[in-house]
Amino acid sequence: MSTATLSRVTLSHLDWLESEAIHIMREVAGQCSRPVLLFSGGKDSICMLRIAEKAFRPGRFPFPLLHVDTGHNYPEVTDFRDRRAIELGERLIVRSVEDSMARGSVVLKSADEPRNKHQSVTLLEAIEEFGFDACIGGARRDEEKARAKERIFSFRDEFGQWDPKNQRPELWDLYNARSFKGENIRVFPISNWTEIDVWQYIEREQLALPSIYFAHRRPLVRRGSGLLPVTAVTPARAGETIETLTVRFRTVGDITCTAPVISEADSVAKIIAETASTTITERGATRLDDQTSDASMEQRKKEGYF
């Protein structure tokens, strides 16, 4: 392609975001000796897999995939997770909060306590087990105000703790992954993306998704300010009325604290239109633990939460 032709090429905002994310992933591969890519089967981590494909194919990824499973994840999502890893031919490591519970490193206050916040313990145990020096994840700055304080290369000390006042400058997109043994870097290649960017990228790349992201009928109860699916893990309580409604999930996580939203959006195009018009944040609408937890997201991150 001639220089004159190149000068006429106009990159879309998705091209710029993708290019930045590819650059960040390659920086991790170049600077870190034992990185890992966190993959839950959720929409953000699905985008991360595509970024990794574009960064490293036709070779293998220079890192395995890791999922910290609460043991109460939606089966549609974990089935998709396993299937996608097999399709890519990449190594998937799964470590469960239930394993940490069996070891006594996680102790629940009650049997129905949400397990999301306890993922930090299992993650730190996996980091120690495999000696990972960098964990790449799909967190975005628009998800929650504490996430907006993160650097793209976010330093964690030898205890896995995050100190927002002890982070490295990232001038001119220069990233520093240097760490001593036991320390860790959390890396967020799509930090500058928004929820609608993710959906537009999914549409452009024609990425497959777990079915629960699309509108479907599901039995639910109204609990607090959210809708809670009726499952074996979350049965209806005495006095609650079970309703069968058409809903979809904006985010996925532990069944006990991840609520759907009422929606008729059964395609990516319809989800994009719905997302563009909403005034409620992704986590604000669907993560019950953010609404009811006695620990803020920032406090949980300081304790090692991703």
Side-chain angles (χ1 to χ4, degrees):
M1 187 180 291
S2 68
T3 303
T5 302
L6 281 172
S7 66
R8 292 195 297 269
V9 173
T10 301
L11 297 179
S12 71
H13 79 286
L14 290 180
D15 293 327
W16 284 107
L17 291 171
E18 179 188 71
S19 178
E20 178 188 51
I22 289 171
H23 167 65
I24 292 166
M25 269 205 193
R26 288 175 175 166
E27 282 292 302
V28 175
Q31 293 191 46
C32 302
S33 59
R34 303 194 79 176
V36 66
L37 174 61
L38 301 188
F39 177 60
S40 65
K43 66 183 188 305
D44 298 322
S45 61
I46 288 169
C47 290
M48 295 289 290
L49 285 189
R50 177 50 57 91
I51 296 298
E53 287 185 271
K54 293 195 175 188
F56 304 112
R57 288 294 193 240
R60 295 287 300 275
F61 294 173
F63 36 66
L65 312 178
L66 170 67
H67 182 216
V68 177
D69 192 336
T70 67
H72 285 169
N73 289 84
Y74 288 94
E76 299 97 322
V77 181
T78 53
D79 290 347
F80 179 93
R81 173 203 69 192
D82 297 342
R83 185 168 65 254
R84 191 72 187 104
I86 291 171
E87 290 169 353
L88 288 169
E90 299 294 344
R91 181 189 178 197
L92 172 65
I93 300 167
V94 178
R95 291 295 180 266
S96 176
V97 172
E98 292 182 336
D99 296 333
S100 300
M101 291 165 59
R103 287 190 291 268
S105 51
V106 167
V107 179
L108 301 183
K109 295 178 181 177
S110 62
D112 60 351
E113 179 187 357
R115 299 177 180 182
N116 268 12
K117 68 178 182 180
H118 297 294
Q119 287 176 297
S120 56
V121 174
T122 309
L123 175 60
L124 294 175
E125 290 172 344
I127 289 171
E128 182 177 8
E129 178 184 356
F130 294 98
F132 296 133
D133 58 352
C135 295
I136 311 166
R140 308 185 321 269
R141 285 179 175 144
D142 73 322
E143 287 182 274
E144 203 274 343
K145 60 185 179 182
R147 294 214 190 275
K149 296 182 179 181
E150 290 273 21
R151 298 287 196 270
I152 289 176
F153 275 49
S154 183
F155 174 74
R156 300 298 200 273
D157 65 20
E158 63 271 25
F159 301 105
Q161 295 177 324
W162 172 65
D163 180 358
K165 297 180 180 179
N166 183 28
Q167 298 297 316
R168 298 160 182 177
E170 293 180 340
L171 304 176
W172 305 292
D173 294 335
L174 297 176
Y175 304 111
N176 181 359
R178 183 179 302 171
S179 61
F180 292 103
K181 184 176 177 60
E183 297 174 341
N184 189 263
I185 300 293
R186 309 285 173 85
V187 184
F188 308 105
I190 63 170
S191 183
N192 290 325
W193 297 36
T194 65
E195 183 183 7
I196 199 166
D197 292 330
V198 167
W199 282 110
Q200 290 175 333
Y201 190 71
I202 288 169
E203 181 181 50
R204 188 184 82 172
E205 300 295 312
Q206 298 184 324
L207 301 180
L209 293 163
S211 59
I212 65 173
Y213 278 114
F214 301 101
H216 59 282
R217 300 282 286 174
R218 186 181 286 265
L220 307 113
V221 294
R222 299 180 186 272
R223 189 172 299 172
S225 60
L227 297 170
L228 191 67
V230 177
T231 69
V233 175
T234 54
R237 296 172 180 170
E240 290 182 329
T241 301
I242 299 176
E243 304 175 69
T244 300
L245 303 173
T246 301
V247 298
R248 70 176 179 89
F249 286 81
R250 288 176 67 181
T251 183
V252 294
D254 190 290
I255 292 173
T256 63
C257 61
T258 306
V261 294
I262 294 175
S263 173
E264 298 287 341
D266 56 3
S267 69
V268 174
K270 291 179 181 179
I271 290 173
I272 290 172
E274 192 173 87
T275 303
S277 63
T278 187
T279 58
I280 303 175
T281 63
E282 178 182 345
R283 294 186 68 96
T286 64
R287 296 304 284 268
L288 302 182
D289 56 336
D290 284 357
Q291 300 171 21
T292 62
S293 175
D294 56 0
S296 67
M297 170 67 81
E298 182 164 333
Q299 182 58 40
R300 281 182 278 165
K301 288 172 70 64
K302 289 179 179 179
E303 296 169 354
Y305 191 77
F306 195 80

